[in-house]
């Protein structure tokens, strides 16, 4: 055996799984087709939002609370500052489904928050154009994470605990039986007891039967300069999610307080072939985001000064797939994080490592079970 557990894809979630398994003294062999912390997939672009009042569903709140503890643990072990909790403003039409879901998660778990009237919000946060029908919630357990540093820190901790990581090594195929898993990567073969697949947007390339369930989408990040630099430092500007009609504008101040990063999402952009992600930007997409920034964030110069494209893997119901693969012995999967998985990556790393070593997890992940889809025959 080359290791107890192999991990294919040492990105956001794979790095956390390697960290967690290595802490248990399990021998780990990780494969990453690029370098660690690379910017070709889901973990690039300097920051990821952390939110606890969760529009994606109350069932995530216990996972988010555990994830926060694990982020702090990783900070302590690695000596890197990874999570800044500067609060999060959720702004959307009071009657909308999204705002109702946020309020439900707050009520279900008694989450620390402030509910602001339009006038209060305009006074405290003049950076935003707040409409009369908007509800404004300040999530006190929100902020931003440094994604590249997080992936590198978790991987480094795993290596220090004894994990072996093969960089620039693409896994081409896997096969498994009750005795273990065979891996073919760059013309070499490896044998391990168990395998965790954390391949994000590339998942169907390795597991073609998941092609309809795990679909890559292109997501754009853009950076804007402020009209008044004193108003966009992280202590003045919380992270934000601005929901309006059929689009969403989310963002965060940059750590040095000189810019605001924003992401505009409307229609999904499917990526047929993950190796051919279009990484440049079309002028019409910049125009669209510029118009929404002009309307909603009047404190910013509306033309983005920087833009770049990334991708994530989406499932049909926008919940990830986490657990044992029903059709492959000894193979576990954690993928399809549908645009909101980075904040969860430490807890998912722990959950999948517990499933791997103990056959179960104490966390409630019924909404993430692979068995809710049926491509496994
Ligand atoms: C622009 C953007 C903004 C986002 N904003 C947020 C946010 O604010 N908050 C939040 O929580 N989430 C956010 N997300 C979502 C979050 O970043 C992702 O859900 C999460 O990073 C996915 O992690 P992953 O491990 O599944 O994928 P990745 O981090 O992409 O890791 C997959 C890894 O597998 C490797 N790999 C694939 N196939 C192979 C193979 N055959 N052999 C070897 N290696 C392989 C890849 O190279 C990659 O490194 C955002 C995503 C994007 C793209």
């Amino acid at each position: 055996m080359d290791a107890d557990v192999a991990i294919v894809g040492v990105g956001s979630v794979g790095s956390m799984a390697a960290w967690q398994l290595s802490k248990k003294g399990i021998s780990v062999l990780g494969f990453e087709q690029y370098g660690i912390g690379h910017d070709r997939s889901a973990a690039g672009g300097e920051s990821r939002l952390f939110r606890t009042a969760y529009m994606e569903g109350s069932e995530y709140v216990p996972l988010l609370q555990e994830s926060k503890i694990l982020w702090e643990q990783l900070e302590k072990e690695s000596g890197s500052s990874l999570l800044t909790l500067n609060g999060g403003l959720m702004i959307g039409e009071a009657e909308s489904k999204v705002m109702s879901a946020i309020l439900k998660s707050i009520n279900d778990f008694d989450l620390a928050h402030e509910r602001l009237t339009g006038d209060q919000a305009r006074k405290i946060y003049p950076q935003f154009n707040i409409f009369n029908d908007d509800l404004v919630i300040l999530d006190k357990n929100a902020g931003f994470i440094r994604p590249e540093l997080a992936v590198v820190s978790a991987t480094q901790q795993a290596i220090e605990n004894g994990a072996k990581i093969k960089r620039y090594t693409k896994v081409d195929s896997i096969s498994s039986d009750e005795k273990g898993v065979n891996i073919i990567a760059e013309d070499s073969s490896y044998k391990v007891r168990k395998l965790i697949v954390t391949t994000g947007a590339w998942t169907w390339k390795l597991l073609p039967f998941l092609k309809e369930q795990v679909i890559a989408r292109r997501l754009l990040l853009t950076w804007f300069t402020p009209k008044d630099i004193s108003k966009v430092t992280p202590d003045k500007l919380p992270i934000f999610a601005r929901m309006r009609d059929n689009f969403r504008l989310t963002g965060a101040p940059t750590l040095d307080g000189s810019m605001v990063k924003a992401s505009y999402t409307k229609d999904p952009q499917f990526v047929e072939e993950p190796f051919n992600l279009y990484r440049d930007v079309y002028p019409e997409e910049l125009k669209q985001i510029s118009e929404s920034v002009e309307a909603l964030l009047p404190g910013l110069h509306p033309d983005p000064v920087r833009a770049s494209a990334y991708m994530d893997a989406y499932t049909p119901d926008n919940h990830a797939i986490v657990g044992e693969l029903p059709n492959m012995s000894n193979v576990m999967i954690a993928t399809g994080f549908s645009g909101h998985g980075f904040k969860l990556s430490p807890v998912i790393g722990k959950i999948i490592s517990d499933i791997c070593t103990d056959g179960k997890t104490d966390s409630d992940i019924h909404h993430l079970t692979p068995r809710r889809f049926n491509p496994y025959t």
Side-chain angles (χ1 to χ4, degrees), residues 130-181:
I130 290 164
F131 302 123
N132 289 337
D133 61 349
D134 275 337
L135 170 64
V136 182
I137 304 276
L138 177 68
D139 174 355
K140 296 205 170 169
N141 274 306
F144 57 93
I145 311 157
R146 295 161 194 79
E148 297 90 346
L149 185 60
V151 171
V152 172
S153 299
T155 307
Q156 194 53 38
Q157 286 311 112
I159 291 170
E160 282 173 25
N161 295 338
K164 303 262 182 294
I165 306 292
K166 292 191 161 290
R167 294 145 52 233
Y168 304 101
T169 309
K170 178 169 164 285
V171 170
D172 296 311
S173 67
I174 54 174
S175 57
S176 77
D177 58 28
E178 310 75 58
K179 293 197 198 102
V181 185

Side-chain angles (χ1 to χ4, degrees), residues 8-9 11-13 31-34 38 41-43 48-49 169-171 198-200 202 219 221 310-312 337 339-343:
V8 188
S12 319
V13 176
F31 295 88
E32 171 51 53
Q33 65 190 358
Y34 292 110
H38 70 92
S41 55
R48 288 289 180 273
L49 309 188
T169 309
K170 178 169 164 285
V171 170
T198 45
T199 42
W202 283 267
L219 296 164
L221 293 178
Y310 305 90
M311 60 182 167
D312 196 10
F337 287 91
H340 64 112
F342 201 86
K343 63 183 85 57

Side-chain angles (χ1 to χ4, degrees), residues 59-60 63 210 213 315-317 319-326 333-335 348 351-352 355 361 363-376:
E59 60 273 36
Y60 283 96
L63 300 178
L210 284 175
Q213 282 70 35
T315 65
D317 61 8
H319 299 296
I321 297 175
V322 179
E324 287 174 286
L325 267 181
I333 191 161
T335 192
I348 299 293
I351 286 169
I352 205 73
I355 294 174
T361 169
S363 303
D364 180 0
I365 53 159
H366 69 276
H367 56 301
L368 309 180
T369 174
R371 289 184 184 274
R372 70 189 193 279
F373 302 118
N374 194 16
Y376 309 110

Side-chain angles (χ1 to χ4, degrees), residues 74 229 318:
L74 180 58
I229 200 162
N318 292 332

